[in-house]
């Protein structure tokens, strides 16, 4: 990763942070913006009910599977070059997904979008470290803004997806990416440091393939959730074999995609595991809360998205104004455990949703408590995961933490969906059964959050203050 010498002047660094935050906003928004549009897409493109979820999963699997490669390329080729290439690929995938006339082309377009996002996300974090890494106080503020862009993108995706689907047509949930990609491509050379290419380095293609295919197979088997079928266990065995092969390849190669020694850095493994479980608890909550609003409370697409805005506003305020100060005082261990426990409390509150409920009692209080927990836990785990690595491995560390969160989100959603379905969430039209299923989903997510808190308590160093935040 380039040194701080190539960072832009202080007068432009906060504008550059806006562009980096836009990248985080976009890659997360693309996981959520299609949710409300899925019924229209199913009608237009001929998806079966069983395969419709792959409009979401095609993006997440490719995104998560290629993030390590994106991080490695950022370190070898220069973060800004990879950042720009990612926007080009994302724009092409968005155009293909919007123009798709059948299910196969749609899934290909979503996969291309995921590949572009896999280049954008780790290079954006690398650029953030290049620009702000020499100033601990500014770095924490920059992480707070970057972190707040993720939940903002998730909720904005639901909101915009509802608005576009209701007042335009579903292809525009993809076309909206194209002008934003053009803005990013034009602004990047003026705002972002160049990032010198590494004098040597090679790309571990075999490692990238085994990681991507292994993660994809694991997610496919869990999403499929046919546990009585032999084929499901065969797929899981193949996934385990591929991931074991990936680890073996990394241990033997001179220039691996993911040097295993990186996990010797204090708290890096603990922070990444916390991010995996944080995604596994948070994304199912967001997913099923949106379904409860629409399928039980009867909200249409646009009001459903608007109902999540208070939660998003609290997350953004918490990440920017509250979490950095508390992180500086108490350290990663205390903040992560506290945030996960508060998140579990919010999920527990949401588990009391009723068939005859309302927004003010059943949704708003619990969602705000959960949002506070998310804002307390996300920044400490993210910053610890990135800062624990050596500077020259910044892109790799970014790729690892992004991979963890995305794969955790996909697997968590798959597991919680299976639990919710067994409890009644598939009984469309029966609000009592739906409410019971959604309640079970929130209980399952709360259990994940509590388990994550226990694991963080056991795995983070004590004391876990990070030098990055000293002096704030």
């Amino acid at each position: 990763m380039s040194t701080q010498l190539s960072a832009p002047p202080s007068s432009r660094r906060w504008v550059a942070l806006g562009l980096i935050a836009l990248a985080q906003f976009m890659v997360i928004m693309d996981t959520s913006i299609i949710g409300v549009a899925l019924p229209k897409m199913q009608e237009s493109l001929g998806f079966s009910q069983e395969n419709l979820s792959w409009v979401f999963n095609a993006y997440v699997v490719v995104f998560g599977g290629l993030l390590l490669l994106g991080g490695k390329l950022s370190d070898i080729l220069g973060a800004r070059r990879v950042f720009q290439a990612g926007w080009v690929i994302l724009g092409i995938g968005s155009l293909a997904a919007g123009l798709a006339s059948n299910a196969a082309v749609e899934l290909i377009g979503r996969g291309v979008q995921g590949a572009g996002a896999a280049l954008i996300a780790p290079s954006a974090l690398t650029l953030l470290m290049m620009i702000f890494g020499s100033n601990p106080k500014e770095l924490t503020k920059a992480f707070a803004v970057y972190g707040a862009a993720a939940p903002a993108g998730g909720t904005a995706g639901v909101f915009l997806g509802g608005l576009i689907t209701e007042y335009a047509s579903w292809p525009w949930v993809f076309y909206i990416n194209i002008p934003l990609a053009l803005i990013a491509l034009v602004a990047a050379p003026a705002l972002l440091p160049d990032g010198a290419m590494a004098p040597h380095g090679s790309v571990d293609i075999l490692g990238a393939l085994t990681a991507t295919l292994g993660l994809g197979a694991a997610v496919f088997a869990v999403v499929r959730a046919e546990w009585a079928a032999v084929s499901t266990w065969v797929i899981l065995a193949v996934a385990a074999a591929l991931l074991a092969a990936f680890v073996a390849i990394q241990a033997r190669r001179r220039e691996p995609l993911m040097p295993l020694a990186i996990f010797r850095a204090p708290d890096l493994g603990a922070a990444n595991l916390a991010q995996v479980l944080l995604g596994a608890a948070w994304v199912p909550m967001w997913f099923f809360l949106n379904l409860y609003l629409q399928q039980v409370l009867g909200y249409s697409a646009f009001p459903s998205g608007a109902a999540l805005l208070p939660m998003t506003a609290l997350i953004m305020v918490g990440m920017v104004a509250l979490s950095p100060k508390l992180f500086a005082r108490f350290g990663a261990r205390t903040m992560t455990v506290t945030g996960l426990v508060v998140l579990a409390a919010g999920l527990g509150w949401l588990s009391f949703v009723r068939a005859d409920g309302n927004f003010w009692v059943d949704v708003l209080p619990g969602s705000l408590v959960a949002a506070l927990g998310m804002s307390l836990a996300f920044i400490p785990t993210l910053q610890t995961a990135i800062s624990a690595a050596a500077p020259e491995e910044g892109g790799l560390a970014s790729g690892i933490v992004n991979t963890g969160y995305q794969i955790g989100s996909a697997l968590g959603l798959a597991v919680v969906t299976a639990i919710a379905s067994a409890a009644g969430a598939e009984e469309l039209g029966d609000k009592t059964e739906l409410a019971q299923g959604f309640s079970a989903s929130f209980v399952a997510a709360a259990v994940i959050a509590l388990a994550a808190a226990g694991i963080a308590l056991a795995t983070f160093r004590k004391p876990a203050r990070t030098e990055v935040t000293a002096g704030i």
Side-chain angles (χ1 to χ4, degrees), residues 139-312:
L139 179 63
T140 300
K141 291 179 180 178
F143 266 118
V145 173
Y146 178 88
T155 301
V158 176
F159 182 79
L160 290 174
L163 185 66
I164 291 169
T165 302
E166 196 158 317
Y167 296 109
S169 60
W170 68 261
W172 284 96
V173 302
F174 303 113
Y175 295 152
I176 192 174
N177 292 339
I178 297 172
L180 294 175
L182 293 174
I183 291 171
L185 288 170
V186 170
L191 295 175
L192 302 177
D194 185 26
M197 297 175 65
H200 59 81
S202 62
V203 179
D204 180 9
I205 298 296
L206 184 58
L209 284 174
T210 53
T212 303
L213 294 175
L215 291 171
V219 172
F220 176 78
V222 176
V223 170
R224 193 180 183 207
E226 295 180 5
W227 304 113
V230 174
S231 58
T232 298
W233 296 100
V234 170
I235 294 170
L236 284 174
V238 170
L242 286 168
L243 293 175
F246 170 73
V247 173
I249 291 167
Q250 303 315 290
R252 295 172 63 102
R253 281 187 64 94
R254 179 174 297 178
E255 295 186 41
L257 183 64
M258 186 182 71
L260 301 180
I262 193 173
F263 288 101
R264 295 174 186 166
D267 283 342
L268 187 142
N272 275 284
L273 182 57
Q275 278 274 319
V276 170
L277 296 173
L278 186 60
W282 175 259
V283 169
M285 185 217 72
W286 158 82
F287 183 85
F288 284 104
L289 190 58
N290 184 53
L291 290 182
Y292 175 73
L293 287 165
Q294 293 192 55
Q295 296 178 356
V296 177
L297 298 189
Y299 285 33
S300 63
F302 179 68
S304 176
L308 299 178
L309 291 179
M311 179 174 67
T312 300

Side-chain angles (χ1 to χ4, degrees), residues 7-80:
S10 59
S11 60
R12 295 206 314 264
R13 65 177 60 198
W14 297 106
V15 182
L17 177 61
L19 180 58
I20 292 169
L22 172 66
Q24 172 74 339
F25 178 92
M26 280 293 303
V27 299
I28 301 301
M29 186 181 76
D30 275 342
T31 65
S32 64
I33 196 169
I34 51 93
V36 177
L38 285 176
K40 295 290 186 182
M41 296 173 64
Q42 182 178 23
E43 181 181 335
S44 297
L45 301 177
F47 278 101
S48 67
Q49 187 68 23
E50 179 183 4
N51 293 328
L52 187 60
S53 65
W54 280 98
V55 179
F56 173 84
N57 290 320
Y59 177 88
V60 172
V61 169
V62 176
F63 182 18
L66 293 180
L67 274 164
L68 290 176
L69 179 60
K72 184 70 172 181
L73 290 174
S74 295
D75 292 333
I76 294 176
L77 303 178
R80 193 179 79 188

Side-chain angles (χ1 to χ4, degrees), residues 272-469:
N272 275 284
L273 182 57
Q275 278 274 319
V276 170
L277 296 173
L278 186 60
W282 175 259
V283 169
M285 185 217 72
W286 158 82
F287 183 85
F288 284 104
L289 190 58
N290 184 53
L291 290 182
Y292 175 73
L293 287 165
Q294 293 192 55
Q295 296 178 356
V296 177
L297 298 189
Y299 285 33
S300 63
F302 179 68
S304 176
L308 299 178
L309 291 179
M311 179 174 67
T312 300
L314 178 59
I315 291 177
M316 295 180 70
V317 170
M319 285 189 178
V320 173
L322 181 63
S323 185
K325 293 179 181 179
L326 294 176
F327 181 27
R329 181 173 181 180
F330 297 108
R333 184 174 186 257
T334 299
M335 289 294 295
T336 301
V337 173
T338 301
L340 288 166
V341 170
V342 173
L343 173 58
L347 289 163
W349 192 321
L350 289 171
S351 71
F352 291 100
V353 292
R354 302 163 296 163
D356 58 348
N358 63 74
F359 170 75
W360 301 103
V361 175
D362 295 81
V363 175
L364 184 62
S367 68
L368 291 179
V369 174
L372 176 62
M374 176 65 167
S375 68
L376 294 177
F378 187 84
I379 296 300
T381 53
L382 176 67
Q383 185 166 334
T384 301
I386 301 301
S387 302
E392 65 272 13
E393 294 180 323
L396 173 62
S398 303
I400 292 172
V401 71
N402 272 289
T403 298
Y405 186 84
Q406 294 301 325
I407 296 301
S409 299
L411 293 176
L413 181 57
V415 170
V416 173
T417 297
I419 293 171
S421 297
E426 287 187 338
E427 299 297 328
L428 296 179
D430 188 331
K431 291 187 177 182
T432 300
E433 290 288 331
L434 284 172
Q436 290 176 354
F438 298 152
S439 174
S441 75
F442 297 132
V443 171
V447 170
I448 293 172
L450 283 176
I455 292 170
L457 185 64
T459 55
F460 272 93
R461 290 182 306 165
K462 181 183 180 181
R465 295 177 182 271
T466 55
E467 297 179 1
V468 175
T469 57

